[in-house]
Amino acid sequence: MENQRPSWTSRGAFILAAVGSAVGLGNIWRFPYIMGQNGGAAFLVVYLLLILTVCFVPLVAELAMGKTTKRECIGAFESVNPKLKTIGALNPITGILIMAFYFVVGGWILNYICLGFAKCEITNYAQYFSNFTQDAYSNCIFTLLFLFICVLFTARGIKKGIEFANNVLMPMFAVILLFLIISSLQLPNAHLGLEYMFKPDFSKINPHMFLTALGQALFTLSIGMGAMLTYGSYIKDDRSITKSAYTIIFSDTLFALMAGIMIFPAIFSFGLEPDSGAGLVFVTLPYIFAQIPYGNLLLAAFFILLMAAAVTSGISMLEVSVAAFTERMNMSRQKACLYIFIIISALAIPATLSFGLLSKFSIFGKSVFDFLDFATSNLLMPLNAFFICIITGWLMNIEGKMFVQNKLVAKLFDTGLRFVVPAILLGLLYVGLK
Ligand code: PHE
């Protein structure tokens, strides 16, 4: 079995895929609106602090668990102790629940790409967004289409599918992003947006901000649903995990900052409010594009960028379940992809209908879409990350000195893995459940 497992063609291929997983809607859609709702630069300071210290630990632990066990998610837990199988299964389950809402946003993106090319004159994007998200038929089609695109790449396997998608989409993503940043920085009063991002008002820092920042950091680094574990299981033995973890964190943060530098100057230039929430890139940004020359094309370029980022993340989410299905049930990749396509469709369709047909239906007071987002980001991902820390730290005896030369850093890592980070994650869970 071990010999038949695929592995990355090179260290670069792994890094690109892992960065492709991390950089996604979390960076371009979620990060700017969460930062906008939490006071700009002060939030950024807290976020950077957490992502560079606390999040480093579970990221290394997840990669290490994959690399040492060389098994898919459930098998990795099982190899530590057969009783842990159920805990391992929580990872693909979390992934499936994330995909059910993530791919709905993917569907919105496809719709906006068509909109950019269709050159239609829309004056009220808030109205357009609300009407569109209520339209059951086109939402379902676009969501399924987005899912289908991700499944197609995944079905082709590690080298021909996942590596290929990342090799093509990630550079395309970076080029479009740079182009949009340059356009945005040339707008009048662009410096106001930069000040908002980088001049912190420390009086805005509050405890809730730490929780929001930590939840966002886990989500954006793809920690707590098995994606990094599964990608880590395809790493060849001689490659350093800590260096990879630094590169992933650094690149992910860089892309989030670049997304901010693209969005906030434009928002301030047009005198708009940065705290409009989840609609920031679907309502506020198109409104801005509508006022500038070649705005339609820029709109299409922006949403193609978003699509590229979302597809490479979507592929990594799919891979967790695909690896589990193929390796545990001895199934072909294509067949596994077909089953997973059916399962996710069954969950994503109710999520797409949350804004229209099923808007009256609620789970614990939330729409299906909001419930899936909440249950995964605030509960299941911290819970899975907690288990990974405990299992690698206490049962697998993973130690800092295995990866880092510096004794002090190794010691800090050990304390972080066994005590500090699990405690912080439990705190996050507690507040999430309250
Ligand atoms: N990190 C991805 C993003 O920022 C989302 C993701 C979460 C991907 C979990 C894989 C696993 O969009």
Side-chain angles (χ1 to χ4, degrees):
M1 189 75 202
E2 188 107 320
N3 298 338
Q4 296 161 10
R5 285 199 101 239
S7 60
W8 304 108
T9 40
S10 62
R11 182 178 135 80
F14 158 65
I15 295 285
L16 198 61
V19 171
S21 166
V23 178
L25 296 181
N27 305 60
I28 316 264
W29 167 61
R30 229 165 174 242
F31 177 78
Y33 91 69
I34 289 188
M35 186 169 164
Q37 282 177 326
N38 286 275
F43 176 83
L44 183 62
V45 173
V46 173
Y47 176 81
L48 289 178
L49 186 82
L50 291 173
I51 204 160
L52 296 175
T53 56
V54 176
C55 294
F56 174 75
V57 173
L59 178 59
V60 170
E62 232 191 276
L63 290 171
M65 192 164 175
K67 190 181 163 189
T68 348
T69 58
K70 294 261 179 301
R71 305 267 303 265
E72 48 67 45
C73 233
I74 307 176
F77 283 74
E78 194 179 29
S79 67
V80 180
N81 183 329
K83 287 194 192 126
L84 297 175
K85 206 160 79 175
T86 328
I87 295 184
L90 266 184
N91 284 278
I93 294 176
T94 308
I96 288 175
L97 297 177
I98 296 179
M99 286 186 270
F101 79 87
Y102 199 88
F103 289 174
V104 174
V105 184
W108 297 346
I109 296 173
L110 290 183
N111 175 286
Y112 272 66
I113 294 178
C114 300
L115 190 73
F117 285 121
K119 285 197 173 161
C120 27
E121 293 294 324
I122 293 169
T123 42
N124 188 339
Y125 273 98
Q127 193 62 46
Y128 175 81
F129 185 62
S130 139
N131 289 349
F132 160 70
T133 48
Q134 283 172 30
D135 177 356
Y137 183 66
S138 59
N139 256 299
C140 286
I141 304 262
F142 278 118
T143 301
L144 294 183
L145 184 63
F146 186 84
L147 169 61
F148 183 68
I149 295 173
C150 295
V151 167
L152 265 191
F153 281 116
T154 315
R156 287 172 56 89
I158 303 293
K159 294 189 178 90
K160 286 198 206 133
I162 302 184
E163 287 189 10
F164 172 77
N166 282 293
N167 288 344
V168 176
L169 295 177
M170 288 306 284
M172 177 173 113
F173 169 79
V175 171
I176 303 179
L177 187 55
L178 275 177
F179 170 70
L180 289 168
I181 288 179
I182 295 170
S183 315
S184 176
L185 287 177
Q186 282 169 352
L187 291 170
N189 290 327
H191 67 278
L192 293 179
L194 295 179
E195 273 169 29
Y196 178 77
M197 269 191 83
F198 296 113
K199 236 183 172 180
D201 170 1
F202 289 108
S203 67
K204 285 193 176 146
I205 295 185
N206 59 57
H208 186 257
M209 195 182 262
F210 280 81
L211 292 167
T212 315
L214 187 60
Q216 167 63 16
L218 289 180
F219 185 84
T220 191
L221 291 178
S222 312
I223 297 172
M225 56 78 64
M228 288 299 173
L229 192 158
T230 309
Y231 273 12
S233 75
Y234 302 138
I235 307 180
K236 288 190 185 137
D237 284 330
D238 53 333
R239 299 196 173 127
S240 151
I241 286 184
T242 31
K243 264 199 219 143
S244 310
Y246 282 129
T247 316
I248 297 167
I249 293 183
F250 175 78
S251 321
D252 186 79
T253 309
L254 185 72
F255 278 114
L257 291 176
M258 282 163 74
I261 297 176
M262 166 186 67
I263 291 175
F264 289 115
I267 289 180
F268 279 85
S269 176
F270 285 90
L272 300 170
E273 292 303 324
D275 60 354
S276 63
L280 193 66
V281 304
F282 290 101
V283 177
T284 315
L285 217 56
Y287 169 77
I288 294 170
F289 286 136
Q291 335 258 324
I292 47 185
Y294 302 108
N296 262 331
L297 286 181
L298 288 177
L299 179 83
F302 173 78
F303 283 102
I304 291 175
L305 157 97
L306 206 52
M307 186 194 78
V311 167
T312 52
S313 297
I315 291 174
S316 74
M317 296 184 200
L318 282 168
E319 183 60 21
V320 178
S321 307
V322 171
F325 271 57
T326 47
E327 289 175 37
R328 299 193 73 78
M329 300 188 201
N330 239 337
M331 197 183 267
S332 75
R333 200 164 241 283
Q334 287 71 18
K335 207 165 169 191
C337 281
L338 179 69
Y339 285 138
I340 293 164
F341 180 85
I342 297 171
I343 297 172
I344 298 172
S345 307
L347 285 165
I349 289 175
T352 59
L353 302 180
S354 311
F355 304 89
L357 272 182
L358 291 181
S359 60
K360 300 248 155 33
F361 177 78
S362 67
I363 312 174
F364 296 114
K366 291 184 179 349
S367 69
V368 180
F369 182 96
D370 287 342
F371 176 75
L372 288 169
D373 184 0
F374 168 80
T376 51
S377 318
N378 295 25
L379 305 178
L380 288 166
M381 291 176 90
L383 183 68
N384 291 331
F386 168 80
F387 282 133
I388 298 256
C389 290
I390 296 293
I391 290 169
T392 49
W394 293 95
L395 304 180
M396 292 176 75
N397 289 323
I398 297 259
E399 285 183 295
K401 64 173 186 240
M402 297 171 176
F403 329 103
V404 257
Q405 313 263 298
N406 184 309
K407 286 215 174 84
L408 178 69
V409 179
K411 209 76 235 108
L412 280 175
F413 177 85
D414 292 343
T415 321
L417 182 66
R418 291 182 178 75
F419 305 101
V420 184
V421 177
I424 294 178
L425 291 168
L426 276 188
L428 182 62
L429 263 170
Y430 174 74
V431 179
L433 280 171
K434 253 193 352 185

